[in-house]
Amino acid sequence: MIEALLTEVWQALVVNRLRTFLTMLGMMIGVGAVVMMVAIGEGVQDSINEMISSMGSNLLVVLSGSATSSGGMKMGMGATPTLTKADAEAVTELPQVVAVSPLVYGTAQIVYGSNNWSTMVVGVTPSYFDIRDWPVEEGTIFTDADIRSATRVALIGKTVAKSLFGDEDPVGKIIRIKQNPYFVVGLLSAKGQSLDGRDNDDAIFVPVTTAQLKLFGTKFKGTIRLFIVQANSVEALTELISPITELLRERHHLSINVENDFNVQNLTALANVAVKAAKLLSLMLGAIASISLVVGGIGIMNIMLVSVTERTREIGIRASIGALRRDILLQFLLEAVVISLVGCMIGVVIGIGGAFLVNKISGLNVIISLQSVLLAFLVAGGVGIFFGYYPARKAAYLKPIDALRYQ
Amino acid sequence: MAASFIELKDLSKSYLSRAGNQEVLTDLNLSINEGEFVALMGPSGSGKSTLMNIIGCLDLPTSGIYLLNGTDVGSLDYDEQAILRNNTIGFIFQGFNLLPRATLEKNVMLPLVYARVGKEERHDRARVLLEKVGLGNRLLAMPNEISGGEQQRVAIARALANNPKLILADEPTGNLDSGSGRVIMDIFTELNKEGITIFLVTHELNIASYAKRQIKLLDGKIVQDEATKGANQ
């Protein structure tokens, strides 16, 4: 029964090739759009998740600045160096703090042999690499002894190593930063993109003291741009903000009516906002694409209604021969479902192709999950049944005698 | 005595139209036994098509009772009527009413599909039936590739698919030349000899003369009902 019905359905669709194709086109575009948009949305979410885990977990950032200069001009965060390395060390003593690393950074020209590369040079302490969970690929991380004596040693990122050394092994070589020789003690493993789209691996790390004293001589001795604090849990992040603020106000001798000359930011909370935004984005992309699926479904309903009217006489013949109501219903319903499912199949291929094209052209990360494809099929089948039911029911409820007389 | 095969009791049919309530059939009483060969005659508008549709379970009377093989057709729902049409009645129409997009074999198999007959048996039965009407070598031809007379023979093969007890033919030769018409009528005579009840609607005298009983209808009433020699003698 069902296989005889399916051959008939297939024949009816093949006879009206062009019409069937145009009806399917609606489903193809709808499913293609959904699959592609979901792939892009999930890709964005995945990229963000990766960036967040590359950032390190449970982080607070304390930026210097927000001070009012003598002229009454407000400066941006980090513009005025108000924090010192000693501030960072004091915060280390607070409960729930796992590690702290001060940061001093600037841009400098790096030279090795005949190659040169302009990049970010960052002064940190060894704990920085623990906080960011960033191991070396080769060599070692500089030590607290290097911090104390401000030695000229450097850890270099993957991108820098590639530009300066090519295939050569950078560990143990001497590079020049601002004319002075530095000994490369280690090569960091690849880290990828950061949340703001910068390349994490395009940087060189030196002891914080070296950066302060020998590279970026600051107006006030011992100042730093910022320091990062790692807490022992996510909950501790919010709990830590006020003790840190109090401690720093006290150390900076700020009276009650004076604004903070620093700023504490919860990086993990910011990251979570980004995750939420990405989720919302992919939901919205999917929702907008779904509208085209509904439009495709309406196209199917339209064509099925035309088909039922055109084939009224055929329905009458079938009824006179003894077709049950459900036989006729099923025949027209199957036509609608076959149109939507075949359209869906082609649409999935188009969607996957489109997603890869987007990846090729824009470099945006895309992820095609089996779930989204299965969901597309489920929805397409549902659309076929939903929009095919009314025309099919109309066919099944024609009176045999009226259908036979139809010219 | 058991009821006749076809039994109409005080059967009326009226349609609601712009001109008001039009009575097409008025208080008809008719009995036809199994194995009869009946020709229903009458001018256009006399109600013969309406009567045939009611006997064929395609339409229901406004009042009165129609018993087919002892079953009150008026009490059946859509699907029960469909099953009755499927296994008891074979229809032959003036315009053949084959499915244009299906092969001859598929057309003949269709009633078997709705009777839930298995695939292999469907093919076998269709082949046998098409051979019986002389088209055994055209199984995969399409209806538009054969002549009108051949199409009507395919329609007969389709009507016979489920071994019906009753063949209803509405002007079966109306679209055919006299030669093809004779072939069709000979087949009906043959089928009647095998015991199938034939109910023929026609306005052509020489076609009606194949029947063994002629009923004349005028303005929805039976005005003449007589036995004849039959077989176009």
Side-chain angles (χ1 to χ4, degrees), chain B residues 32 70 83-84 126 138 149 162 171 202:
Chain B
I32 296 171
I83 291 167
L84 194 61
R138 304 301 308 272
N162 283 322
E171 305 275 11
T202 185

Side-chain angles (χ1 to χ4, degrees), chain A residues 313 318-319 321 325 327, chain B residues 53 79 85-86 97 114 116:
Chain A
R313 205 178 164 75
R318 289 177 186 278
I321 283 170
R325 213 157 233 166
D327 294 334
Chain B
N53 289 334
D79 281 355
R85 287 194 295 270
N86 183 257
N97 276 350
Y114 292 132
R116 273 73 179 160

